[in-house]
Amino acid sequence: MVSGPEFRRVLKTVEDRCRKQSIYMVGPEKARFLRSLILRAKPRCVIECGTAIGYSGLHIADSLRRSGEGRLITVEINHERAMEAEQNFYKAGVGNIIDVRTGDAAVVLKEVYEAVDFLFLDNSYSNYHPCLLSIMPRLKDGAIIVADNVGIGASGMADYLTYVRSHFESRSHWFELDLPWASRDAMEVTIYTT
Ligand SMILES: C[S@@+](CC[C@H](N)C(=O)[O-])C[C@H]1O[C@@H](n2cnc3c(N)ncnc32)[C@H](O)[C@@H]1O
């Protein structure tokens, strides 16, 4: 369940724009999964790498609003997209719990100083492992790490997958896709332990 008519209107506008402009986004099935993880874990600080124009960020923020007092720091390398996402967050009424940062996520994350209990990786595949290494000193014991596109992008993030699968409890969750060029993809959920 997604809350409020104005929130739903903005979410729908963002989803339609992503589809029309071929801006990649997680899409409804994966968003539902992400929401369920956040509602269960009730994180206080979520980090997202790869904001685009805010589709997944809207879902994360709405789940945080429902589950407690958490906030989201989301990082996007493309300045225009970051600005558009920020506007969408304010229009949807969740701007006050989201901090949009611009730059290369692996670099920006080195300047996050709070403890992190949920990390969502959805930027360039080769950046997943560097992002994890940058934020690792801030990850709480038991933090949840979700990496998108581990089915279609496995070879581009082989370093990341090898690392999390050999160090932590890690599992792929598969989804059917309605994309013309891919029918299935997965998200990898990893439980970080110190
Ligand atoms: C798949 S899209 C993100 C989709 C978004 N999470 C959603 O579901 O709405 C990937 C985004 O990552 C951004 N990106 C690529 N490399 C990046 C990097 N090194 N640091 C931060 N953002 C990056 C791209 O500009 C793009 O907007």
Side-chain angles (χ1 to χ4, degrees):
M1 235 305 258
V2 172
S3 48
E6 185 55 16
F7 181 89
R8 285 200 295 273
R9 192 193 64 74
V10 176
L11 185 65
K12 170 91 173 60
T13 307
V14 170
E15 182 174 344
D16 290 348
R17 185 163 143 64
C18 284
R19 289 189 194 281
K20 279 198 198 103
Q21 306 288 318
S22 299
I23 298 169
Y24 294 129
M25 55 159 175
V26 287
E29 296 299 317
K30 288 175 174 175
R32 230 185 324 273
F33 180 64
L34 210 46
R35 293 176 72 96
S36 70
L37 291 176
I38 290 172
L39 287 170
R40 213 175 316 142
K42 300 183 175 33
R44 294 191 66 104
C45 179
V46 178
I47 304 276
E48 175 183 54
C49 301
T51 319
I53 61 167
Y55 179 79
S56 52
L58 286 166
H59 279 286
I60 293 168
D62 190 44
S63 313
L64 286 174
R65 197 164 54 171
R66 284 159 171 267
S67 70
E69 301 165 23
R71 53 189 289 270
L72 167 66
I73 299 172
T74 182
V75 190
E76 171 57 52
I77 202 164
N78 179 307
H79 185 66
E80 281 172 20
R81 284 188 177 183
M83 301 250 294
E84 187 173 339
E86 190 160 40
Q87 284 168 9
N88 289 329
F89 296 147
Y90 276 101
K91 278 188 218 157
V94 289
N96 60 324
I97 59 164
I98 305 181
D99 176 357
V100 182
R101 301 191 186 177
T102 310
D104 180 346
V107 176
V108 172
L109 293 194
K110 289 186 179 154
E111 288 178 20
V112 169
Y113 300 107
E114 51 260 75
V116 171
D117 30 33
F118 197 104
L119 171 66
F120 177 44
L121 297 167
D122 192 19
N123 55 339
S124 49
Y125 303 157
S126 61
N127 214 236
Y128 283 22
H129 195 220
C131 283
L132 175 60
L133 295 180
S134 294
I135 201 66
M136 205 128 85
R138 305 283 169 242
L139 286 180
K140 284 190 199 164
D141 189 30
I144 296 172
I145 307 169
V146 180
D148 194 19
N149 303 126
V150 309
I152 58 176
S155 61
M157 58 178 87
D159 54 351
Y160 172 81
L161 291 174
T162 303
Y163 184 80
V164 292
R165 287 170 181 168
S166 58
H167 286 78
F168 311 112
E169 182 192 326
S170 199
R171 195 174 146 219
S172 301
H173 296 257
W174 287 88
F175 301 84
E176 305 302 314
L177 299 182
D178 60 354
L179 295 173
W181 47 274
S183 60
R184 289 181 87 215
D185 190 22
M187 283 176 144
E188 187 84 2
V189 179
T190 301
I191 311 298
Y192 174 81
T193 42
T194 49

